[in-house]
Amino acid sequence: QVQLVETGGGLVQTGGSLRLSCAASGRTFSNANMAWFRRAPGEEREFVAVINSNGGLKSYAESVKGRFTISRDNAKNSVYLQLNSLKPEDTAVYYCNAAGALDYRNNNNYYAGAFWGQGTQVTVSS
């Protein structure tokens, strides 16, 4: 059974930092693109960041560029998201996604794969 488990969410003040982790089990994703999405209250789920299989390509939503950093450790079958300079509008449930498609010819658009985690809550207080 394939599982993606996110951890690391919490409550922080504006300007604070968090590091989210997503650990995969049940199969290896070392050859797969991995990504983070988020869903704010009352909003649609939105793309946050993606990293390709060897970590050589990373792409971010405009709203998080320069503040968030995605990384991965294939030996641990894990992907991470470092969140810095957090703002109240970053408040959301953050989800890990695996094995989606990257469109290199179209601004590195990422199309979510079939594997999702259960999410971890990030709350930023003002």
Side-chain angles (χ1 to χ4, degrees), residues 17-63:
S17 297
L18 285 172
R19 186 177 189 243
L20 307 184
S21 298
C22 171
S25 61
R27 61 158 278 185
T28 179
F29 288 104
S30 60
N31 292 324
N33 302 314
M34 303 284 289
W36 289 92
F37 286 73
R38 67 186 182 186
R39 178 179 283 156
E43 302 288 334
E44 300 275 328
R45 185 158 51 191
E46 65 173 357
F47 167 79
V48 175
V50 61
I51 186 167
N52 72 344
S53 57
N54 66 11
L57 186 147
K58 304 174 185 179
S59 184
Y60 300 90
E62 285 296 325
S63 58

Side-chain angles (χ1 to χ4, degrees), residues 82-95:
Q82 178 69 38
L83 290 66
N84 295 331
S85 303
L86 282 161
K87 305 175 182 179
E89 52 263 43
D90 295 318
T91 294
V93 178
Y94 284 71
Y95 298 91

